[in-house]
Amino acid sequence: MKTPIEITGGLLIALALLHLAFPRYFRWKEETAALSLLTRQVLHVHTFFIALTVFLMGLLCLTSAADLMATPLGRRISLGLAVFWGLRLGIQLFGYSSTLWRGKPFETLVHIAFTLLWAWLTTLFAMTARA
């Protein structure tokens, strides 16, 4: 049976791949047309590196779940991941305006789903760090 960490690794890889759809879904070509070239490129480069980081987190979970749970280095890495995802959860709750999702069924569902995902990741890695 797969461990929760390995299953989470698969979720993180799927999340990383989801970033490939961002430019089209969010209509970045039209939305960013008025921005400077530098700002547009920073947006794309940062999105790529966020996706790469999330992908590598997922790969780490899939290939090294036992090490994350059972070694001092793995527990330190898990603590760092708990802090990373905990901060992301905080941004989800306090960094985005509720006008982006409130009263919009699909956006509300996405907001709730990602809030739950960030809470799951924070909890999982915090528990793993304490193991």
Side-chain angles (χ1 to χ4, degrees):
M1 182 171 147
K2 297 274 187 192
T3 70
I5 292 175
E6 291 170 322
I7 294 167
T8 298
L11 289 172
L12 289 171
I13 288 173
L15 178 62
L17 295 175
L18 183 63
H19 281 72
L20 294 172
F22 282 11
R24 178 173 284 182
Y25 181 80
F26 293 113
R27 300 177 332 121
W28 282 357
K29 190 172 188 173
E30 298 83 11
E31 291 286 332
T32 64
L35 299 176
S36 71
L37 177 61
L38 176 61
T39 301
R40 276 196 313 275
Q41 289 184 342
V42 166
L43 173 68
H44 288 285
V45 169
H46 281 216
T47 300
F48 171 79
F49 277 98
I50 290 168
L52 178 62
T53 300
V54 172
F55 179 84
L56 292 173
M57 285 180 193
L59 198 57
L60 178 67
C61 291
L62 282 176
T63 63
S64 304
D67 292 328
L68 288 171
M69 295 184 291
T71 67
L73 178 60
R75 287 190 294 276
R76 285 187 198 107
I77 291 169
S78 294
L79 178 61
L81 293 173
V83 170
F84 179 93
W85 291 112
L87 290 171
R88 181 59 185 89
L89 175 61
I91 295 298
Q92 186 73 20
L93 295 173
F94 305 110
Y96 288 111
S97 171
S98 63
T99 60
L100 295 170
W101 56 269
R102 193 175 305 271
K104 303 172 186 173
F106 177 74
E107 289 82 353
T108 299
L109 179 64
V110 170
H111 173 74
I112 292 168
F114 280 109
T115 299
L116 292 173
L117 178 60
W118 308 148
W120 163 256
L121 292 167
T122 303
T123 303
L124 174 69
F125 289 119
M127 290 173 53
T128 301
R130 293 178 46 134

